[in-house]
Amino acid sequence: MNPPGKRIGQIPRARLSPLLAVALAVAAFATLVFAREWSRATALNRDIADLRAGKDIKVEPNARPELLLARMAFLLQRDEFDAARVIAAALDRTDRDDLAARGRYLLGNAQLRRGFALIQAADLENAGIFVNLAKRDYRKALQRAPGFWDAKYNFDVASRLMRDYPNFAQENGDEMPADPKKIWTDLPGAPQGLP
């Protein structure tokens, strides 16, 4: 007959054996999951670093938003606006408002830089197109991230550079109907009345 102390020590060991096996299986599974995620994160960081270093890497439209943003920055450094707009649309479909706003901000900055270059080259018609596109992208950035101060500031700069005037529909030659409610002026001068 076994002493009472020995019996008590054997009971938990008998029950501990299946629990230990389950805990070991869970730990092995968790290790595999974490190893896979670490491998994916390492590959993502490597691809982002390659894009920043100037290496052209093809990115699928359903890739991680961080990789899409890095690809977009790569394209904008090379003035590939159309390809960058496709990626901006893909970023807009993600649930990452911060990265989608950042992408629109980068696109707006690149277009505004192009607008400045065209202004310096005295190509005001094409400059207006790029400035208006930049304003549109800054607006989209602010819709996704209303507190994005840099986008607000750049939107203000672009708005001062190219004002939004109302669209007047010309129907009869040189005549333009005057509707006092829709006309506003941006002419400098002292306003009448009290401050």
Side-chain angles (χ1 to χ4, degrees):
M1 189 161 162
N2 293 336
K6 197 169 185 182
R7 260 188 306 166
I8 294 173
Q10 289 176 348
I11 293 172
R13 252 190 239 151
R15 291 185 185 165
L16 187 63
S17 202
L19 290 175
L20 188 59
V22 169
L24 190 58
V26 168
F29 179 73
T31 302
L32 289 174
V33 169
F34 288 131
R36 192 174 99 198
E37 288 301 314
W38 179 77
S39 175
R40 285 182 181 173
T42 302
L44 176 68
N45 289 338
R46 184 180 58 246
D47 289 345
I48 290 172
D50 287 346
L51 284 167
R52 286 183 179 168
K55 185 177 177 186
D56 191 8
I57 294 175
K58 299 298 177 195
V59 176
E60 296 295 323
N62 59 351
R64 299 274 305 260
E66 297 87 354
L67 187 58
L68 289 173
L69 186 63
R71 174 73 177 160
M72 187 176 185
F74 172 84
L75 293 170
L76 290 173
Q77 288 174 348
R78 286 146 185 81
D79 290 337
E80 296 181 30
F81 296 108
D82 293 333
R85 283 187 196 100
V86 171
I87 294 177
L91 273 171
D92 287 342
R93 290 188 294 271
T94 66
D95 60 346
R96 294 288 307 269
D97 288 339
D98 58 334
L99 295 180
R102 184 81 180 158
R104 288 295 177 173
Y105 171 74
L106 291 176
L107 184 56
N109 285 350
Q111 292 172 142
L112 191 59
R113 280 192 300 272
R114 173 63 67 89
F116 281 135
L118 290 170
I119 288 171
Q120 289 177 345
D123 187 358
L124 299 181
E125 185 174 329
N126 288 326
I129 293 169
F130 280 99
V131 171
N132 285 327
L133 287 172
K135 288 186 338 188
R136 182 193 66 186
D137 285 314
Y138 291 137
R139 275 190 202 105
K140 287 183 180 182
L142 290 170
Q143 287 171 349
R144 295 297 291 262
F148 194 177
W149 191 88
D150 290 341
K152 287 180 186 180
Y153 181 83
N154 288 1
F155 177 72
D156 185 52
V157 169
S159 294
R160 290 173 189 263
L161 191 62
M162 181 76 56
R163 296 283 186 193
D164 289 328
Y165 291 103
N167 295 327
F168 294 110
Q170 280 189 308
E171 296 175 4
N172 300 326
D174 291 335
E175 282 186 33
M176 193 163 31
D179 184 2
K181 294 178 186 172
K182 292 186 180 178
I183 295 179
W184 58 275
T185 183
D186 197 26
L187 298 175
Q192 300 295 320
L194 296 173

